């Protein structure tokens, strides 16, 4: 249209004989003839600029955009005028452009450029959508005050909005841009009205042309956009988007590649709207092509490993279906880490490279040649780390397995990263490793990137538990501090405190608990993970003192019913190298004094008439293996623990007649042996969705049938287990969905703890927030467990079952906080008067 107007104007003054007059004068300057075959040159004496609506305009800028200039020679007829008009249109700032000859003399002209400037944006707004969406769209359309309003601008804005909502599954979006004048001349207000309609779901996938692979199998290969029709998995979305569908098409063709159909293609992909206004149907037409098989597989360039061994590692025989994905997985990226590239990389062949090529196709069999360039073994050069502002370098150095001069080993790098994360001092999300190969000298420098996170905890909390007035639970207050990066070396150097002595990875815990005169507990513990600083041998010491009062008499009252438990634990741990170095062994020497006053039976199994002091001297051996990926929210790995705690068999060594001894002498020395087994597995199912399975077992036995099983160290099963202290020297085992202690009390017919328990847990966890400052995840669980009087009654297939949901919040300053709702399916067998649904709140423990 613009070119047509220019041609018309040019023809008007470009005829064989044309007259030009000054619009302000009656005297003609003359009549001149123009010859299109022989254009004449004219000197531009001046260039005038006008805005057709009389608005102020930057005239010099218009002349600059046009490409014309004063004292320039142009040809008439010629392309100079048409080019100038095109240049002005290209600025997208004018809605109309005209160029006239204002005045003409022999060989000289004056040009008059008349433009109509586009209106500009004064402001704009979105209507019909939520405020949160408005912010996103403002960033997307990038409209600014003062921008010229052009048809192209409006079309692009509308397209961006439509495309944005299409990606989110809204295919029936209506975008209407209304313009209204602003108070400022030349400015307009844009009202962008949006009607999203409903999200479009993929109703069905119709497939034709497939013969050897069924519709059902191909639909299963679609991972993230499941059809609404007959959808089985409710957690997977049916939201349709063109971008997401392109990925799904690759998944469909990937299924054909796995089955050997290399030539398979989707020849037609049609989107059908309906049924209804919220559904679309995909119609695919597929050509499968031929099915291929592996032919001869040969190796070239291998020196380190024999061809026969490589064939065994590859595990692909001649005649097998040609599966390119499986071939590349076993060559380069086996999820289990047992691929050929990993084997070379773990033995120092950092500069190793490998490629496979097809050497021939005969009768649908593909011959493969795998070409290897092993190179030389690389050794580690420099090892550096950054990001530890608080933690001392020696704490990091002792966990690093890649030492300068060692042969490069990729597995050792991965293990180093895991061990550094296991310290609990660094954020796993911020950790990284950067190998820097130096091919010239055959070495590789390794840089570890660390990011410290808050690790110390201040605990000020209230809980619900224990036995208060009339043996009812009461409020328990806890105050404590946990320093996970403590430093005894800086203890007497106040200038280095920040705000406490930190940096050596030692752990110091101070805690006090009380619910008034009924219970008080005090605990101190210290752990040095590298005793003497040379080997990963840990040393721990803990001191504790607890008071359980079973009435509300004054402390000075001689009839006060009270239980004191005072003790000390000394532990030495060692990291083992066999069967692998995930294993640890720890020996714990426990010295405890139990002081029983006026507990004349009925209190947690104490025999009637027993009073005085009893002593527990025991040795515990704990054998553990842990390969979990993270201490707070593990997504992979496992953890196992087997422990045996035992006292000497005093009654079998001293030849005393225990039947005739008074109770204070009979139970003066506690004797028992105690087995415990814990196992945890963590498996990532999808993104941040983790399956956690756990098993726990405990058994308390005695040496002498005349003494029976000690009433110390038993298991109290049931409830939240959040109390954080031992009641009458028993061990609390949580089991959701049931009241506190009720499962063991049902087994024993009283308050006495049970000597035997078993528990199984399955949890589905999903991380909602994972950052250095907080970790939040939700969970759903199934749990089953029970307690028994002795081994003769033990039946792991008849358990008290429960199910429920919960949420966890971990903050470095406060530790782990949780809230669960559990429904006990067998509550009537435990306590018919209780409720099936239980709410459990806890701080600082895991179920």
């Amino acid at each position: 249209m613009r070119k047509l107007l220019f041609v018309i104007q040019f023809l008007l003054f470009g005829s064989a004989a044309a007259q030009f007059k000054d619009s302000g004068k009656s005297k003609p300057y003359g009549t001149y003839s123009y010859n299109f075959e022989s254009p004449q040159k004219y000197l531009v004496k001046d260039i005038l600029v006008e805005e057709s609506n009389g608005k102020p305009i930057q005239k010099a800028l218009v002349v600059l955009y046009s490409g014309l200039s004063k004292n320039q020679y142009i040809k008439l007829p010629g392309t100079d005028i048409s080019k100038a008009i095109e240049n002005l249109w290209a600025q997208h700032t004018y809605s109309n452009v005209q160029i006239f000859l204002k005045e003409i003399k022999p060989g000289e002209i004056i040009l008059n450029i008349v433009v109509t400037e586009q209106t500009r944006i004064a402001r704009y707004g979105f209507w019909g959508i939520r405020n949160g969406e408005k912010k996103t769209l403002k960033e997307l359309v990038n409209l600014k005050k003062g921008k010229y309003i052009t048809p192209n601008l409006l079309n692009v804005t509308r397209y961006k909005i439509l495309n944005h909502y299409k990606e989110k599954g809204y295919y029936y979006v209506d975008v209407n841009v209304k313009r209204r004048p602003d108070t400022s001349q030349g400015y307009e207000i844009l009202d962008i009205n949006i009607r999203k309609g409903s999200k479009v779901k993929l109703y069905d996938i119709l497939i034709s042309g497939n013969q050897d692979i069924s519709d059902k199998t191909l639909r299963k290969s679609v991972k993230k956009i499941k059809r609404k029709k007959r959808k089985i998995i409710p957690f997977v979305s049916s939201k349709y988007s063109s971008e997401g569908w392109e990925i799904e098409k690759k998944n469909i063709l990937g299924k054909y590649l796995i089955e050997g159909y290399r030539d398979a293609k989707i020849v037609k992909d049609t989107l059908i709207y309906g049924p209804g206004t919220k559904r679309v149907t995909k119609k695919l037409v597929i050509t499968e092509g031929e099915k291929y098989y592996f032919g001869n597989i040969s190796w070239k360039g291998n020196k380190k490993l024999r061809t026969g061994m490589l064939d065994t590692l590859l595990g692909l025989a001649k005649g097998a279906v040609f599966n390119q994905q499986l071939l590349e997985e076993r060559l380069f990226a086996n999820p289990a880490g047992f691929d050929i590239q990993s084997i070379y990389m773990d033995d120092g062949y950092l500069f190793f490279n490998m490629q496979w090529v097809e050497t021939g196709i005969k009768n649908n069999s593909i011959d493969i040649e795998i070409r290897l360039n092993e190179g030389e073994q690389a050794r580690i050069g420099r090892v550096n780390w950054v990001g530890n502002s608080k933690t001392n370098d020696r704490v990091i150095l002792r966990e690093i397995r890649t030492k300068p001069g060692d042969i490069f080993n990729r597995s050792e790098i991965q293990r180093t990263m895991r061990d550094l994360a296991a310290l609990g001092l660094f954020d796993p999300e911020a950790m990284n490793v950067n190998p820097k190969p130096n091919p010239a000298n055959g070495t590789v420098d390794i840089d570890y990137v660390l990011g410290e996170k808050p690790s110390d905890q201040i605990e000020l909390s209230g809980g619900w538990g224990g036995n208060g007035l009339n043996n009812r639970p009461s409020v328990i207050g806890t105050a404590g501090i946990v320093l996970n990066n403590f430093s005894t070396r800086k203890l007497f150097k106040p200038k280095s405190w920040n705000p406490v002595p930190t940096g050596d990875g030692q752990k110091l815990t101070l805690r006090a608990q009380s619910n008034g005169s009924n219970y008080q507990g005090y605990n101190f513990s210290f752990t040095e993970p590298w005793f003497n600083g040379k080997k990963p041998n840990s040393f721990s010491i803990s001191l504790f003192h607890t008071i359980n009062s079973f009435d509300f008499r004054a402390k000075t009252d001689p009839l006060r019913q009270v239980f004191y438990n005072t003790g000390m634990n000394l532990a030495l741990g060692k990291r083992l190298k066999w069967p692998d170095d995930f294993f640890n062994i720890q020996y714990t020497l426990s010295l405890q004094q139990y002081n029983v006053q006026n507990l004349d039976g009925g209190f947690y199994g104490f025999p009637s008439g027993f009073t005085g002091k009893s002593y527990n001297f025991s040795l515990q051996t704990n054998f553990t293996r842990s390969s979990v990926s993270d201490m707070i929210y593990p997504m992979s790995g496992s953890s196992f623990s087997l422990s045996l705690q035992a006292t000497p068999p005093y009654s079998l060594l001293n030849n005393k007649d225990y039947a005739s001894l008074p109770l204070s002498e009979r139970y003066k020395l506690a004797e028992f042996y105690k087995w415990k087994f814990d196992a945890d597995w963590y498996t990532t199912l999808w993104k941040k969705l983790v399956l956690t399975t756990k098993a726990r077992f405990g058994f308390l036995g005695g040496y002498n049938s005349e003494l029976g099983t000690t009433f110390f160290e038993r298991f109290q099963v049931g409830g939240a287990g959040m109390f954080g202290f031992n009641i009458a020297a028993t061990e609390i085992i949580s089991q959701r969905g049931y009241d506190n202690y009720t499962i063991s009390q049902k087994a024993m017919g009283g308050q006495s703890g049970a000597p035997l328990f078993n528990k199984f847990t399955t949890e589905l966890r999903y991380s909602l927030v994972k950052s250095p400052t907080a970790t939040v995840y939700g969970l759903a669980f199934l749990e089953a467990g029970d307690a028994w009087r002795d081994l003769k009654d033990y039946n792991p297939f008849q358990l008290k079952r429960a199910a429920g949901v919960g949420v966890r919040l971990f903050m470095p300053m406060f530790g782990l906080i949780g809230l669960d709702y559990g429904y006990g399916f067998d509550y009537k067998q435990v306590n018919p008067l209780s409720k099936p649904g239980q709410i459990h709140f806890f701080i600082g423990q895991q179920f």
Side-chain angles (χ1 to χ4, degrees):
M1 185 65 185
R2 289 175 288 177
K3 292 182 179 180
L4 179 62
L5 289 172
F6 174 72
V7 170
I8 294 172
Q9 294 169 13
F10 206 70
L11 290 175
L12 289 175
F13 66 76
S15 57
Q19 291 185 343
F20 299 96
K21 295 182 179 180
D22 187 323
S23 58
K25 297 179 180 180
S26 58
K27 185 178 178 180
Y29 282 95
T31 302
Y32 302 92
S33 299
Y34 288 92
N35 188 338
F36 284 94
E37 294 181 356
S38 181
Q40 297 184 34
K41 283 187 177 181
Y42 291 88
L43 177 68
V44 179
K45 293 293 293 180
D46 199 3
I47 302 175
L48 308 177
V49 177
E50 297 179 19
E51 209 287 332
S52 61
N53 293 323
K55 295 189 299 183
I57 191 170
Q58 292 180 323
K59 297 181 180 180
L61 199 59
V62 175
V63 174
L64 178 66
Y65 286 156
S66 71
L68 300 171
S69 61
K70 289 175 63 176
N71 300 320
Q72 172 189 358
Y73 282 96
I74 64 173
K75 289 183 179 181
L76 291 178
T79 60
D80 297 295
I81 299 297
S82 61
K83 183 63 177 176
I85 293 175
E86 289 182 5
N87 289 341
L88 290 169
W89 277 113
Q91 303 307 311
H92 301 293
T93 58
Y94 310 109
S95 60
N96 189 24
V97 177
Q98 293 179 324
I99 298 180
F100 298 99
L101 299 178
K102 176 68 175 177
E103 183 175 318
I104 189 166
K105 291 181 180 179
E108 298 179 354
I109 58 172
I110 296 176
L111 299 178
N112 185 20
I113 302 176
V114 180
V115 296
T116 305
E117 193 175 35
Q118 300 273 21
T119 55
R120 303 182 186 222
I121 298 175
R123 63 179 185 274
Y124 69 97
F126 298 97
W127 305 94
I129 56 176
R130 296 189 301 268
N131 289 332
E133 296 177 82
K134 293 178 182 179
K135 183 178 179 181
T136 302
L137 290 181
K138 280 185 178 181
E139 296 176 357
L140 178 69
V141 299
N142 195 29
L143 296 177
K144 296 179 180 179
K145 182 179 179 180
K147 226 175 185 180
Y148 288 103
I149 303 174
T150 67
N152 182 62
L153 177 74
L154 298 179
N155 289 334
V156 169
T157 299
R158 186 172 179 275
Y159 170 78
K160 286 181 177 179
I161 296 172
L162 290 173
N163 193 55
H164 170 76
Y165 280 109
K166 268 193 174 183
E167 290 178 357
K168 292 184 174 296
Y170 295 91
Y171 268 68
Y172 296 95
V173 181
D174 179 50
V175 180
N176 184 20
V177 182
K178 290 187 176 181
R179 303 167 63 170
R180 52 191 174 96
D182 187 58
T183 53
S184 300
Q185 185 182 7
Y187 285 83
E188 289 185 343
I189 301 169
L190 300 182
D191 293 323
I192 306 173
N193 299 288
I194 301 172
R195 287 191 304 168
K196 295 192 302 183
S198 300
K199 272 189 177 183
V200 168
K201 305 287 185 180
L202 180 62
Y203 176 72
D204 200 1
I205 304 173
L206 305 177
I207 306 172
S208 61
N210 54 313
Q211 297 179 356
D212 291 345
I213 301 182
S214 66
D215 291 4
K216 182 179 180 181
T217 302
L218 292 176
R219 290 191 187 107
K220 280 186 177 180
S221 67
V222 177
K223 302 298 182 183
K224 296 183 179 180
I225 309 178
K226 292 296 184 181
R227 62 173 185 161
K228 196 74 176 174
K229 183 180 180 181
R230 299 177 183 175
K231 185 167 75 169
I232 299 174
I233 305 174
F235 303 106
V236 183
S237 174
S238 296
K239 181 183 72 175
Y240 176 81
S241 68
S242 56
E243 183 178 353
W245 182 249
E246 289 301 315
I247 297 173
E248 301 298 355
K249 285 166 65 176
K250 293 179 181 178
N251 291 336
I252 293 173
L253 293 177
K255 183 63 180 175
Y256 272 101
L257 287 176
I258 291 173
E259 298 296 331
Y261 293 91
R262 300 197 314 157
D263 302 330
K265 293 181 181 179
I266 298 175
V267 295
K268 193 173 183 180
D269 179 5
T270 307
L271 183 67
I272 304 171
Y273 288 86
T277 58
K278 300 180 181 181
R279 302 282 186 267
V280 292
T281 297
K282 264 294 175 182
K283 188 174 181 181
L284 304 178
V285 180
I286 295 175
T287 59
E288 293 180 334
E290 297 288 341
K291 186 170 186 176
Y292 292 89
Y293 302 87
F294 281 109
N296 296 315
I297 300 177
S298 59
W299 302 84
K300 185 177 181 180
N302 55 304
K303 298 177 182 178
K304 170 184 166 54
L305 298 179
R306 293 180 291 104
T307 298
M309 182 176 290
L310 290 172
D311 287 336
T312 302
L313 293 171
L314 187 63
L316 297 175
K318 182 178 180 179
V321 172
F322 186 84
N323 185 338
Q324 182 175 329
Q325 178 180 321
L326 183 60
L327 171 65
E328 294 186 347
E329 179 181 292
R330 294 187 179 179
L331 288 175
F332 305 106
N334 192 324
F338 199 67
D339 54 82
I340 292 172
Q341 179 172 265
S342 295
I343 291 171
Y344 273 95
M345 296 285 278
D346 288 346
D347 198 25
Y349 289 89
L350 176 64
F351 308 110
F352 166 85
N353 63 74
M354 173 174 52
Q355 62 179 346
W356 64 274
V357 294
E358 298 177 9
T359 56
I361 300 177
K362 185 178 180 181
N363 297 328
N364 296 344
S365 291
I366 302 175
D367 294 335
I368 299 294
E369 182 178 86
I370 303 171
R371 299 170 182 174
L372 293 78
N373 183 4
E374 295 176 343
E376 298 294 330
Q377 283 181 307
R379 292 191 175 271
I380 296 173
R382 297 175 59 86
V383 179
N384 307 301
W385 54 87
V386 295
N388 57 314
S389 58
K390 182 188 295 185
T391 306
N392 293 330
D393 286 346
R394 68 191 192 99
V395 175
I396 300 169
L397 179 60
R398 65 197 187 192
E399 300 295 342
I400 289 180
R401 295 168 176 261
T402 53
K403 307 296 184 183
D406 290 350
I407 293 176
F408 176 82
N409 189 314
R410 188 174 64 173
S411 296
E412 291 297 323
I413 294 177
Q414 295 170 343
R415 180 62 189 276
T416 296
M417 295 293 284
R418 184 261 173 198
D419 289 347
L420 288 171
L423 293 175
L425 307 177
F426 305 105
D427 176 22
E429 300 292 323
M431 294 174 62
N432 199 2
V433 60
N434 298 321
K436 297 179 178 178
N438 304 307
N441 58 12
T443 64
V444 55
D445 297 337
I446 300 176
D447 293 344
Y448 292 98
V449 180
L450 308 173
E452 287 187 320
K453 67 177 182 179
S455 58
D456 298 331
Q457 300 172 18
I458 297 176
E459 185 177 355
L460 293 172
S461 62
W464 183 257
N467 284 330
L469 184 63
N470 298 325
N471 290 331
R472 293 181 179 178
S474 60
V475 175
I476 300 172
T478 301
I481 184 170
V482 180
L483 304 177
N484 288 300
N485 198 6
F486 191 69
S487 174
T488 53
R489 293 187 307 114
K490 299 179 181 178
L491 194 58
F492 300 104
K493 300 176 182 178
K495 292 183 179 180
S496 63
W497 293 18
N498 186 27
V500 296
T502 60
D504 283 345
Q506 300 165 340
K507 183 174 181 179
L508 178 68
T509 301
L510 296 168
R511 180 179 285 113
Q513 291 180 299
S514 178
N515 67 346
S517 60
N518 174 244
Y519 172 80
Q520 297 94 47
Y522 309 94
N523 179 275
F524 161 84
S525 68
F526 171 79
T527 300
E528 167 57 77
W530 283 65
F531 194 44
N532 286 334
K534 295 181 179 180
K535 293 183 179 181
N537 300 329
S538 64
F539 169 76
S540 301
I541 181 172
S542 64
L543 304 171
F544 55 89
H545 178 68
T546 61
I547 305 170
N548 282 101
S549 177
F550 297 92
D551 58 19
F552 287 87
R553 298 177 186 270
K555 294 182 180 180
T556 57
D557 192 330
L559 299 178
R560 185 185 182 202
Q561 297 176 324
V562 62
F563 176 84
Y564 299 94
N565 183 10
T566 305
M568 176 180 68
N569 293 325
L570 296 173
L572 289 174
K574 181 179 181 180
R575 185 183 298 171
L576 303 178
K577 295 183 179 180
W578 185 90
D580 61 39
D581 58 2
F582 285 111
F583 282 87
N584 288 270
I585 190 168
Q586 180 173 280
Y587 303 98
T588 304
L589 178 64
S590 179
L591 309 173
Q592 295 186 62
Q593 180 195 73
Y594 309 125
N595 190 347
V596 180
Q597 296 181 7
N598 303 314
L599 301 183
D600 55 352
F603 290 95
Y604 299 98
F606 292 122
S608 179
F610 174 71
T611 188
K613 296 179 180 179
S614 184
Y615 298 92
N616 176 0
F617 301 97
S618 64
L619 179 65
Q620 179 177 346
T621 301
N622 193 12
F623 193 57
T624 64
R625 184 186 189 276
S626 176
S627 61
V628 296
S629 59
D630 185 12
M631 298 297 106
I632 306 303
Y633 188 76
M635 299 183 67
S636 63
S638 60
S639 175
F640 300 91
S641 173
L642 176 64
S643 68
L644 171 62
Q645 181 184 3
T647 66
Y650 304 108
S651 63
L652 301 181
L653 300 175
N654 55 26
N655 296 319
K656 291 182 179 181
D657 183 9
Y658 279 85
S660 62
L661 290 177
L663 294 178
S664 59
E665 287 293 323
R666 184 186 302 177
Y667 298 112
K668 185 174 183 179
L669 294 174
E671 62 174 62
F672 62 88
Y673 60 90
K674 186 176 184 179
W675 288 95
K676 292 195 297 183
F677 175 75
D678 292 350
D680 302 346
W681 293 269
Y682 303 93
T683 306
T684 299
L685 301 179
W686 177 72
K687 290 187 177 180
K688 299 178 182 179
L689 183 66
V690 178
L691 174 66
T692 303
T693 51
K694 299 185 178 186
R696 297 192 67 186
F697 173 84
F699 173 69
L700 180 70
Y703 304 111
N704 194 330
S705 58
E706 292 183 6
L707 283 175
T709 304
T710 180
F711 36 83
F712 302 117
E713 299 295 336
R714 295 192 177 196
F715 304 104
Q716 295 279 6
V717 184
M722 74 145 287
F723 316 108
F725 59 85
N726 293 336
I727 295 181
T730 57
E731 184 174 346
I732 296 173
I733 306 298
S734 63
Q735 186 164 337
R736 291 165 285 191
Y738 298 91
D739 284 330
N740 298 331
Y741 320 145
T742 54
I743 292 178
S744 54
Q745 290 175 3
K746 176 65 177 178
M748 303 303 295
Q751 291 182 322
S752 173
L756 177 61
F757 87 95
N758 206 175
K759 190 179 80 167
F760 303 95
T761 302
T762 298
E763 286 185 353
L764 271 178
R765 301 177 175 182
Y766 188 79
S767 175
L768 304 173
V769 175
K770 198 170 188 295
S771 70
T773 56
T775 298
V776 183
Y777 62 90
L779 61 88
F781 68 86
L782 297 172
E783 199 160 77
D786 210 338
W788 296 269
R789 184 180 293 272
D790 53 44
L791 278 173
K792 293 184 295 184
D793 300 327
Y794 176 62
N795 187 344
F797 301 104
Q798 292 183 358
L799 306 174
K800 307 300 185 292
R801 301 160 300 165
V805 295
V807 65
R808 299 287 183 273
L809 167 64
F810 178 85
M811 299 179 67
M813 288 295 291
F814 299 102
L816 189 68
I817 303 172
L819 182 67
D820 287 345
Y821 172 81
Y823 185 92
F825 296 104
D826 303 304
Y827 75 98
K828 290 184 178 180
Q829 298 178 26
V830 177
N831 184 1
L833 300 179
S834 66
K835 297 179 181 179
Q838 301 284 338
I839 294 177
H840 305 292
F841 172 75
F842 66 89
I843 295 176
Q845 71 141 62
Q846 288 273 26
F847 283 97

